Amino acid sequence: MFSKKLMAGWGDMDFNSHMRNTAFLDKSGDVRMLFLSEHGFPMSEFMRLNIGPVVMKDEISYFKEVLLLEEITVTLSLAGLAEDGSRWILRSDIIRPDGKLAARVNSTGGWLDLGARKLIAPPPALMATWQILERTDDFQQLPSSVKAK
């Protein structure tokens, strides 16, 4: 499973002295982009292709709090994918230093053609990159986001 160790920093905290809800989204987004970069798709490649990932829905479930300066592990797995790769669901688990699940983020998204401003199927190499992610136990086949002409 793809994962990264990150730190819950000062800017990630809320008034109650634990990690704020949007910080969980930020950490899962960072790990998503680190995965893509490490597998041949850094920002420069997306700029060259004139496409980018777009998230249409995020769902967060909270289980345990994360405190300032705790090292967290953020995982990335594939919870859903359309046959053409145009739509996906990625799951990130945020795990505390004691091994307990702090939060789970499910992000539903697709690939945006930045010129046409419409959802597209990814190029084959990008599709292959998503497919190397470990699949969740509840993985689901999704409908395509590409509209028929």
Side-chain angles (χ1 to χ4, degrees):
M1 168 148 332
F2 186 82
S3 68
K4 290 291 179 185
K5 290 193 180 295
L6 303 173
M7 184 186 67
W10 179 259
D12 297 323
M13 297 298 112
D14 68 10
F15 183 77
N16 297 318
S17 301
H18 61 251
M19 201 156 114
R20 61 184 164 74
N21 64 333
T22 55
F24 288 100
L25 294 174
D26 292 340
K27 300 294 185 190
S28 62
D30 288 345
V31 169
R32 188 167 45 240
M33 295 311 293
L34 286 166
F35 171 80
L36 288 165
S37 183
E38 288 181 20
H39 291 86
F41 288 92
M43 246 349 266
S44 58
E45 182 61 7
F46 284 111
M47 289 171 61
R48 185 187 74 75
L49 293 168
N50 203 34
I51 64 172
V54 60
V55 173
M56 296 171 275
K57 179 172 75 168
D58 286 309
E59 296 174 294
I60 309 173
S61 298
Y62 303 99
F63 302 98
K64 300 281 182 188
E65 65 184 0
V66 174
L67 303 175
L68 180 63
L69 301 181
E70 282 189 325
E71 183 180 72
I72 55 174
T73 301
V74 182
T75 67
L76 182 66
S77 55
L78 190 62
L81 187 64
E83 190 173 322
D84 64 1
S86 65
R87 180 182 302 247
W88 36 261
I89 301 172
L90 299 176
R91 177 169 297 154
S92 287
D93 284 344
I94 292 85
I95 302 163
R96 300 180 340 163
D98 63 5
K100 293 185 177 173
L101 181 63
R104 173 167 285 161
V105 177
N106 286 313
S107 298
T108 302
W111 299 106
L112 184 66
D113 178 315
L114 297 174
R117 309 307 289 178
K118 67 177 188 170
L119 294 172
I120 60 166
L126 184 51
M127 174 67 163
T129 299
W130 261 178
Q131 290 176 321
I132 66 172
L133 280 168
E134 184 175 307
R135 292 180 179 212
T136 62
D137 291 340
D138 60 347
F139 176 87
Q140 54 189 298
Q141 193 69 38
L142 301 174
S144 174
S145 290
V146 177
K147 297 199 183 326
K149 293 181 181 183

